[in-house]
Amino acid sequence: MDNPKRLLLIDDDPNLILLAKDYLEFRGYEVVAASNGLEGLEAMRHFTPDLIICDVMMPEMDGYTFVETIRSNSATDWIPVIFLSARGQTADRVRGLTTGADVYMVKPFEPEELVAQVESSLKHTERLLQMQSAGIQPIMKLDREVELTPTETKVIQYVARGMSNREIAETLGVSQRTVESHVSNMLGKTGLHNRTELARWAIESGLGKKPL
């Protein structure tokens, strides 16, 4: 690669770090490693990665908190995130995507699959950035009619304003799990893939501008 993409790899398993780092660097990527979310945030004080690969369950700061943190910052909310987790149940995948990850991969996985997901996510982000720099705003249209409950409408308005699930839960006086359930229901209704797309759809459809 002439201008290699810089990746941030966060995982508390040194063996996975070694394997993934070697494999990605062999493919031409620059990889900075961290062992938990706090170390990841510290690393991002010195550089802005083109993509983040992040474990879910880690000491000090887990993947959920890390992703909510970068999604709440306009300087980093655009960075694609790939979640890695040993938990493969539907509820785990849904929580990962509603928290703000773009891709959810279950361990163990083949290195080739990780590389493919990295390349796909980077290409998608590059297309969006090119369109934005050209003044073209892609419109997110749904192929179905969507009816939201009053509570779902409130939740999606907060999502559109960049609030994390935890912040929304505190504002509404409910549990974070309840907010995650509402976000999951809206993903099902809209057919969108993750929380980021849901926020964008809310903004483009005008939901994010309506009074709460």
Side-chain angles (χ1 to χ4, degrees):
M1 298 181 182
D2 295 331
N3 296 302
K5 297 291 186 180
R6 304 182 73 186
L7 313 181
L8 177 58
L9 175 60
I10 311 173
D11 201 296
D12 62 339
D13 182 348
N15 292 324
L16 186 145
I17 286 282
L18 184 62
L19 175 64
K21 191 171 186 292
D22 285 349
Y23 210 89
L24 291 165
E25 287 179 341
F26 179 74
R27 292 301 186 95
Y29 296 103
E30 289 185 9
V31 182
V32 174
S35 62
N36 59 60
L38 284 177
E39 286 189 12
L41 292 178
E42 177 62 27
M44 290 177 66
R45 292 177 58 189
H46 305 285
F47 85 109
T48 300
D50 294 292
L51 179 142
I52 299 169
I53 303 168
C54 183
D55 187 23
V56 173
M57 307 309 296
M58 298 178 291
E60 302 295 329
M61 178 185 286
D62 64 17
Y64 298 125
T65 305
F66 171 81
V67 170
E68 287 182 338
T69 301
I70 67 169
R71 289 290 183 246
S72 65
N73 185 340
S74 61
T76 57
D77 64 355
W78 61 270
I79 302 173
V81 175
I82 296 176
F83 256 162
L84 306 179
S85 177
R87 299 182 176 181
Q89 298 297 317
T90 299
D92 299 312
R93 292 175 181 272
V94 167
R95 184 181 181 190
L97 295 173
T98 57
T99 298
D102 298 282
V103 177
Y104 190 100
M105 293 184 62
V106 179
K107 302 177 183 178
F109 51 82
E110 294 295 328
E112 285 288 353
E113 182 185 1
L114 177 60
V115 171
Q117 292 285 10
V118 167
E119 292 176 349
S120 176
S121 296
L122 286 173
K123 287 178 182 177
H124 179 67
T125 301
E126 187 173 350
R127 284 195 299 270
L128 290 178
L129 293 176
Q130 286 176 346
M131 293 178 74
Q132 290 174 4
S133 65
I136 303 172
Q137 292 295 328
I139 303 300
M140 183 165 287
K141 295 182 179 179
L142 303 183
D143 59 359
R144 65 192 73 178
E145 291 292 327
V146 177
E147 292 187 8
L148 302 181
T149 68
T151 302
E152 288 172 345
T153 300
K154 286 184 179 180
V155 170
I156 200 171
Q157 287 176 315
Y158 286 127
V159 169
R161 297 181 183 195
M163 294 175 64
S164 68
N165 290 345
R166 183 175 63 253
E167 291 171 332
I168 296 172
E170 292 173 353
T171 301
L172 295 179
V174 298
S175 69
Q176 185 171 329
R177 181 70 69 178
T178 298
V179 174
E180 290 168 358
S181 178
H182 286 307
V183 174
S184 174
N185 289 339
M186 288 187 285
L187 287 175
K189 288 182 177 181
T190 59
L192 298 174
H193 298 94
N194 52 53
R195 197 177 189 277
T196 304
E197 289 188 356
L198 196 62
R200 211 177 114 212
W201 172 71
I203 293 170
E204 291 181 358
S205 64
L207 281 171
K209 298 178 182 178
K210 292 180 179 179
L212 292 166

